[in-house]
Amino acid sequence: MAELFRASEHEPLVSDEWSEERAEAAIAAIVSDAEAAYDGTRWPFHPADDPDDSQNGIYLGVAGMAWALEELGSRGWGGAVVRALERYRVDPDGGEEWAYAPSYLGGEAGIVLVAYRLAGDAALADYLHELVLANLDDRWNELLWGAAGSLLMAEAMLAWTGEERWAEAWDALADALAGKRDADGLWTQHLPKKDYRFVGAAHGFVGNARALANRRPFDVDDLLERLAIREDGLANWLPNEGAALDDIRVQWCHGAAGVVSSLGSFMNEELALAGGELTWRAGPLAKGSGLCHGTAGNAYAFLVLHARTGDELWLERARAFAMHAIGQVEREREKLGRGRYSLFTGDIGVALFLRHLLYGKSSFPTLGPFA
């Protein structure tokens, strides 16, 4: 079993009894802390996050925080996102190498999407339409920066506006992305410094497949079975083609947790259960509590499997990871003297997970299907 995950990346599960009251209190504390920490421009960065990466975008920045806070019932964040967009246009996140990238989670388009959602400016919708279509010829072929993210933005705007232009944009992007698929079923990601062929949710096949499958049937079973590493009823996936076995992860971004949370509602059920079991056996992530590579993000695999199978075991496991994630948030806040303020690596993602757990929802934040 050891080769299917790296034990050093995980920590023993804290066996606190599930408590709805503690989950609600944790959500309230995270929201209150985030509201108080906003300085009128942005939130302070955590030492483990790189402020040069995305001060304004969805993944690490203002747009993601504002979107999550509104989802959690905190109101009035539209102006903060509009100001973040103005800053981005002057000084793009990531510097000139990524200047004005029309990306969903890391760049300008995602900020525009959230600004429209919270401020409702029709001019923002028109501009977003241009940015979404700019990814017809993207070189990234992945979720954070490429056409898969633009598919999700078009899907969201179609749900929110009902305008046919968004359905047409979605179809054009889906055809373009499908046409760039390699003969063996993967995509090649042409990133600034190196080409990759990623498997997982953040940058690879799984993220692309999820974006396409939200509105179009997409067969994933043969490829997932071919790439799976199996042992004793467990399954995991390497981050990318050519990766060494000791590079294996169990996270949303890379590995079984992201495969199952993204595709577990329609992939081969036996393989999804094997990936979920591996995620449980590996245990909570020592990196932190958040969504991308943290305990809460991994626990979405359990929510998806509970929704698919109706087996209460998966709900119990989601609750166990929830209590552990709450403890991680509290310990880190005590150590640092404040929270960690980002959607994908910080506390607010944990709060969204807790809310979804309490309300019986299983959709990973920002991935749709949108309503």
Side-chain angles (χ1 to χ4, degrees):
M1 186 196 319
E3 65 265 27
L4 294 192
F5 67 91
R6 298 191 302 173
S8 61
E9 299 258 322
H10 301 268
E11 61 187 32
L13 180 69
V14 174
S15 58
D16 289 346
E17 184 178 353
W18 165 246
S19 166
E20 289 190 12
E21 292 77 13
R22 189 175 174 198
E24 291 282 11
I27 294 170
I30 290 168
V31 170
S32 177
D33 179 51
E35 291 172 335
Y38 180 68
D39 67 3
T41 301
R42 58 175 60 87
W43 281 267
F45 264 71
H46 189 274
D49 292 326
D50 186 349
D52 291 334
D53 281 347
S54 185
Q55 296 188 35
N56 301 298
I58 291 177
Y59 184 91
L60 282 181
V62 171
M65 285 293 299
W67 190 356
L69 283 166
E70 293 270 352
E71 289 289 308
L72 291 164
S74 180
R75 299 289 179 244
W77 295 101
V81 184
V82 170
R83 292 190 294 275
L85 178 60
E86 293 169 350
R87 288 193 302 275
Y88 185 97
R89 288 171 173 168
V90 173
D91 183 17
D93 294 351
E96 291 304 315
E97 189 171 41
W98 298 96
Y100 307 107
S103 75
Y104 180 30
L105 298 183
E108 184 180 17
I111 306 171
V112 177
L113 176 75
V114 178
Y116 170 78
R117 179 63 167 164
L118 302 188
D121 185 342
L124 289 172
D126 293 340
Y127 182 45
L128 180 60
H129 192 257
E130 295 177 16
L131 292 175
V132 163
L133 292 178
N135 254 343
L136 281 169
D137 299 317
D138 85 284
R139 67 182 186 271
W140 296 288
N141 297 324
E142 51 90 78
L143 177 63
L144 267 75
W145 295 96
S150 293
L151 281 172
L152 291 167
M153 290 187 284
E155 177 193 343
M157 290 299 291
L158 177 61
W160 298 339
T161 70
E163 295 175 0
E164 184 61 24
R165 63 173 172 166
W166 295 108
E168 294 170 355
W170 194 96
D171 286 336
L173 286 158
D175 291 343
L177 183 60
K180 296 176 184 177
R181 196 175 179 192
D182 298 336
D184 65 356
L186 291 171
W187 279 267
T188 300
Q189 289 74 44
H190 302 287
L191 301 180
K193 296 180 181 179
K194 186 177 178 180
D195 288 352
Y196 293 90
R197 283 167 29 99
F198 283 114
V199 176
H203 298 293
F205 169 83
V206 171
N208 290 351
R210 172 57 190 266
L212 287 164
N214 279 358
R215 285 179 49 81
R216 183 179 288 184
F218 194 88
D219 184 10
V220 300
D221 288 336
D222 288 346
L223 188 141
L224 290 180
E225 183 63 59
R226 174 165 56 87
L227 296 178
I229 302 173
R230 287 177 169 269
E231 182 180 333
D232 297 334
L234 309 177
N236 201 0
W237 289 262
L238 288 167
N240 58 280
E241 180 190 57
L245 191 57
D246 58 5
D247 289 332
I248 204 162
R249 301 285 190 276
V250 188
Q251 302 172 173
W252 171 78
C253 48
H254 300 294
V259 172
V260 176
S261 63
S262 301
L263 307 180
S265 61
F266 62 91
M267 66 185 281
N268 174 275
E269 184 172 310
E270 183 273 330
L271 189 56
L273 291 169
E277 187 65 32
L278 182 280
T279 303
W280 172 253
R281 297 274 190 95
L285 278 158
K287 290 181 180 179
S289 58
L291 295 178
C292 186
H293 35 263
T295 301
N298 280 17
Y300 272 98
F302 307 148
L303 293 183
V304 168
L305 290 173
H306 176 250
R308 178 165 181 174
T309 67
D311 188 341
E312 292 292 305
L313 171 68
W314 296 108
L315 180 59
E316 293 170 7
R317 289 177 169 182
R319 288 171 170 172
F321 268 41
M323 299 306 292
H324 191 98
I326 291 170
Q328 287 178 302
V329 169
E330 292 171 348
R331 290 191 296 274
E332 183 67 14
R333 185 187 299 136
E334 183 177 353
K335 181 172 69 175
L336 191 63
R338 59 174 174 80
R340 186 171 183 175
Y341 309 111
S342 66
L343 175 53
F344 271 77
T345 66
D347 304 347
I348 205 75
V350 179
L352 284 175
F353 163 66
L354 294 172
R355 179 59 53 85
H356 289 168
L357 174 59
L358 289 166
Y359 286 12
K361 302 173 93 174
S362 60
S363 295
F364 193 92
T366 74
L367 296 195
F370 293 91

